[in-house]
Amino acid sequence: MHRRNMICPWAGRPGRRRHWAALFLVVATAVAALLGVGSGMAPAAGTDDPPTPPVYTKWGPPLTKAHFDEHDFFIDANGVPHQLTENGDNGYAVAARPFIIEQLEKSGLGYDSETKTGFTYVFQFDTEDYVKKGVIANGATAGTTADLLKLAWSNGQLLSVDVVDVTGTGKSETTPTDLKHFTSTVNNKLGRNPNVSKPSKQADNVLFVADNRAQAKVIAKLYEGDPHVRIIHVDSGYDTGEFEAGNAALKQAAGHLFTARPSDCPPEPARSTQRSSGDPGMQHAAFTVRRAAGCGEPSPQKAGGLAQGLAAGARDAGGIDFTRLELRYLADPGPGHNLRYSFRAPVTSSGKGGALTGLADARMASDSFFTWLQLKPSTFWVNLNPDEPDRIIDSRLGRTDTGRVLLDADLMLKKTTGKLIHPDTKLGAKYWRSLSGECTSFRTWIVPEPATVHTRGDELHILKAPLDVQMETQYREQRGDSGAASCPQQSARVQEHNESVFRRLILPRVVEAVNSAPEYADLRRVYLSRVAAEWYRELSLRKSTTYGKMIDAGDIDAYATREKWKPRDTFDAYVRSYTKHEFEVTHRTRKDDRVYTRTYIYGGVDFTDVRFNSPHGERMKAAWPALARNVGQSLEEPARDRANGQIWFGGGVPAENSGKEEQGREQRGDTSEALGLPAGEEDGGGLTAGVGRWLGPAGLALFGVMVLRFLVLRRRARRRAGR
């Protein structure tokens, strides 16, 4: 008699029972594995593995200058400390440093102490090893015994710290034996010596100081096109050119524009892994630098037009005026995608500012965009009035670079006007002769003119965004407030006459300066971001956007100024200029035994209201025929608009045709190299982690259904057995 399966009657015959048991075991194993992957679990570290480090190293956050053990240090992107010294102990380095710094200055790439932007080289103290030589992350070396550090600064922020070992020769010959010795030295430092079974990489970059020009040329041919080897001869001026060091940081920083990050993230992406140095006598760095929980990793991006343009500008500053880089395009495909953007800059004969200036300007535009989103438009004004020291700026706006730019522009407005009306100038003398009465005191405000934009779906093209300068009477009339007369002792007729004189002679020059003078470039830059933010606010009312939740949230911690500046600093500078009569022009004339006093004092900036004009159809095509083409091309590479003498730089989306190898990686889902991580060590485990995040819960749900099915059928079987 065939015995009935009372536990699993649904399993059927023995063959089927084995089949269901195997399936059950496979599902249970898969669920357990997926849960481990999805939760970010990893195998237990071996006893020889380095300890898991905190987010910041014990020396401090990456890309900062630190002071400990009574010494000054720079902390690189991997968290490695590099001790500074004023005098190098390598004769070749001592001879080379002033030469390569001079080369930077000649090319327009040198460090500017006023703007705190540019490249420079400093000596590194290499006697005391805080971190031993050795490979630490993505092929980089600790390099604490290298002779020089190449630093890249952008608007006061340390962008990169790269190590340079310096070597050379006192021999004048270039025999095969000599060349073999020279190249062996260089290759040993770079970990490339094929004759060593386990080469020990000691530096990321090597500078070779040749004995003579002819020798330098011969050695240079051996390393032609190598971005990590530089050959120089100081006396003749021979130089193979700057290292590529610093360019990767430029590209990476450009890839984070118009991408919001929580304010508690490290200042720059810095993720490293442990690798053995390959030399038992050398230690590897026993730490890594990782992002804080919740910061997330940036989406992998190929170098777009802006990143490529900045990297090219880091080698040659000529041809582009980066000081006039302006946001002209923004698009939001929706949640889950990065914003697309494009900047425009004029072509010049010599170039201005350099790539690091361009990066600082682009960052300012990006930070201002998010500042304008986070704060309410009612706070977008500043006011410099000697009688109102407590009404300078909104407290939160006053913590940002955007607020600093507005206040600085307000102060500059007063200085510009003061120069124009100075009685010792031809225009100023004419102005004073044309006035009537005993007093004149005009307050002016910088306000937006209607911006001309072209919108299409989720895209914004900013065609024109002029600024206006209004007098107090006009400014108050538009807001329904008559206000108090600036010279109450005079008749309305005299006041109107004096105002008309100012409008006719002075105001057009002030408006022209605000819209074109170099000293107002930052104001124009943050205003373009204000236009983009206003459009984005309206777009977010119609559809779901990537950063719609940020609107009016009030969190500006991530965009707080990095400078040691407070709004009161600008107000105090204003008061000092005011008391020294720098822009407060008082002109006294005697007529019929009476003294006539005329004074110009103060003003403000108000960006609370932005209005749009939108051309369409044939008018749009006729006025801007190449706009769409330029923007589209700029997302992948710099796009030259020869007709208007401009170059467009975009980014924010992967460039689809930038290389077959990179395309293949994307198709395989392998983005490890794009993120700068060793293969298989992407954030969250790469593709496996991505699948695990949804497949784990799905597997768990399937397991639950099987258990429920098992219990139900088991209960039915028992009921049948009890009949």
Side-chain angles (χ1 to χ4, degrees), residues 358-427:
L359 175 62
D361 294 342
R363 275 179 164 173
M364 178 181 291
S366 176
D367 287 354
S368 292
F369 171 76
F370 289 115
T371 299
W372 297 128
L373 286 186
Q374 287 280 2
L375 301 181
K376 295 182 178 180
S378 59
T379 67
F380 299 161
W381 55 267
V382 299
N383 169 61
L384 287 180
N385 186 331
D387 298 327
E388 297 179 304
D390 298 325
R391 203 175 75 89
I392 303 173
I393 190 173
D394 175 80
S395 59
R396 286 171 298 182
L397 184 61
R399 292 177 53 208
T400 67
D401 281 317
T402 303
R404 176 182 57 80
V405 168
L406 263 61
L407 277 174
D408 288 349
D410 190 7
L411 179 57
M412 185 58 62
L413 178 67
K414 297 158 180 52
K415 295 183 178 183
T416 299
T417 307
K419 291 178 181 178
L420 290 171
I421 67 173
H422 199 283
D424 292 342
T425 65
K426 183 177 180 180
L427 178 62

Side-chain angles (χ1 to χ4, degrees), residues 520-567:
Y520 292 96
D522 284 346
L523 179 70
R524 296 191 293 269
R525 192 169 292 113
V526 301
Y527 174 59
L528 284 165
S529 295
R530 171 74 178 98
V531 172
E534 186 65 22
W535 164 80
Y536 198 83
R537 286 171 174 270
E538 296 179 3
L539 180 69
S540 300
L541 293 175
R542 303 193 305 268
K543 58 172 287 188
S544 178
T545 56
T546 303
Y547 299 117
K549 293 182 179 179
M550 292 179 62
I551 295 176
D552 296 339
D555 181 9
I556 51 84
D557 287 347
Y559 313 107
T561 181
R562 301 181 183 95
E563 297 190 13
K564 295 180 180 179
W565 170 88
K566 301 182 296 297

